[in-house]
Amino acid sequence: MPGSSKILLIDTATEYVFLSLVIDGIEVGSAYRKDIQNHAVTVMPLLDGILKEAGIRLNQVTEVIVGVGPGSYTGVRIGVSIAKMIGYLNGIPVRTVSTLALLASGAEDGFILPAIDARRGNAFMACYRKESGKLTVLVPDTLANAESFIGTAGPGFHKVTEGKPDVRTLINSGLTLPVSNIHELVPNYLQVTEAERNKGKS
Amino acid sequence: MIVMGVESSCDETSVALVKDGKTVLSNAVLSQIDIHREYGGVVPEIASREHVKGISLVFDQAVKRAGIAFSDIDLIAVTAGPGLIGSLLIGVAAAKVIAMNFDIPIIGIHHIAGHIYANNIEHDLEFPCLALVVSGGHTQLIVMKGHYDFQIIGETADDAVGEAYDKIARVLGLPYPGGPLVDKKAALGKDLYKLPRPLIDSGDFQFSFSGLKSHVINLHHNMVQRQEPFAVEDICASFQEAVTDVLVKKTKEAAHRYAVKQVIVAGGVAANKGLRAKMTREITDVPVYFPGMAYCTDNAAMIAVAGYFKFQKTGKADDYAINGDSRLELK
Ligand SMILES: [Zn+2]
């Protein structure tokens, strides 16, 4: 089917590898798998399987949506590098989305607080609202002390730490952003490196 | 056969296109040296971030400079290790995307095999061949009886040569990367201090540089304490003479023991002018070759050359599960 839309979604910023192939609005293949090895090993074989099953080749994908974090630095870089290369090689549009929005998209309707552990009591968090399939952001992605952020948000928020993203919700949300220059695409780390932080101090 | 090389094991993001394991069509390198200099050494997390930032651009530079299309590529060779894991994974992931997108076979390459094969760009390897590998992470003598056949006959028990150079440079207050500066200063100084030549008469091909390094650091410290006048150039010259004496003597002995047809030097320290001069002067019965200066430091052309010969020999590609391995062994 020439001219049809073939959207590839990739997120590797959590303990899970998430891949989804959406052809003309229908998710024809997907993977959501907790990795025992690192994501670098699993992503491409999984992607290969999904594409073969759908009977298309990687260079026939018409758009990529990639989770750019926040989350695991090593993990997010793998997905972003892959999306960047697919976009560059085929000259197709790439859109970014928060990994926390991806997490929230799979949750039940209500007030949602997606959280990804960032060690030492901290987490990457945000607040979203999902209502009849419509996802909106209330508090943008933040790196903060988990307890105090959750306390401030209040008991009405449902904390979500894993779950397969819902691609229809995500694609229909206004939460994906176009990348204007593919060579400039980078993850959203939400913080500078320790070395950069310490540089100012000494 | 056109091979695309991909290298991201440390702080250079590099992509190259090489024809038939010999002719470099392009060798694009994004260096991060200026960024890491502020920290006195490579910061792994920053290196990984820089690799992601530059990854698609460096591929674009390589194909444009070579004037070819991705569909013209016959094989992709990517550094699979050893190196910084976060850095390695970016190059490996990107290489896999190209392999899948254009249905091109992909092969993982050992970084040191790349350094060795950098020599093939200017002089065809002839076997048996002896390689002296000297870099920030490695000091090894390797005998090759044929293509892609590596026998390590000796290596360092502690510091790599390049590592010792960098540490001494830091103590002497020279900016990162200090190794090349020590070489430069050594050329201006005199071998005044009687420094030890570790293991020089051991009769085998093992090395050890940490004792020598400590000796130099103590010597410098004591002179500073006693407010004795000294020239940094003389310390550099004395250190360099000691190191190169050991490297050259052992390489010469190994060349004879294994009756090799040629000696090649590989790795970042192969750019050291003092080492180049002494090797050529002392080893006269077999030819001694060094890679061109641009191919001593990390680059993807050398990975492409190694990939070509590995593929010629094994005829086997890797699959999409190929991984980066920070401690990969040379096989
Ligand atoms: Zn190297």
Side-chain angles (χ1 to χ4, degrees), chain B residues 7 9-10 82 111-112 115 134-138 267-268 296-299 302:
Chain B
E7 153 68 37
S9 66
C10 190
H111 182 76
I112 293 305
H115 275 303
V134 274
S135 72
H138 291 81
C296 287
T297 47
D298 291 351
N299 66 88
M302 68 186 198

Side-chain angles (χ1 to χ4, degrees), chain B residues 92-152:
Chain B
V92 170
K96 283 198 262 192
V97 173
I98 296 177
M100 193 185 286
N101 204 79
F102 297 102
D103 205 9
I104 304 168
I106 182 169
I107 193 166
I109 295 298
H110 192 283
H111 182 76
I112 293 305
H115 275 303
I116 290 171
Y117 272 98
N119 281 281
N120 197 71
I121 295 168
E122 281 175 28
H123 302 276
D124 287 348
L125 297 194
E126 274 184 64
F127 306 106
C129 157
L130 175 69
L132 171 66
V133 177
V134 274
S135 72
H138 291 81
T139 305
Q140 292 176 321
L141 277 166
I142 295 171
V143 171
M144 293 176 72
K145 293 201 175 111
H147 275 300
Y148 233 81
D149 172 0
F150 308 102
Q151 185 196 349
I152 300 169

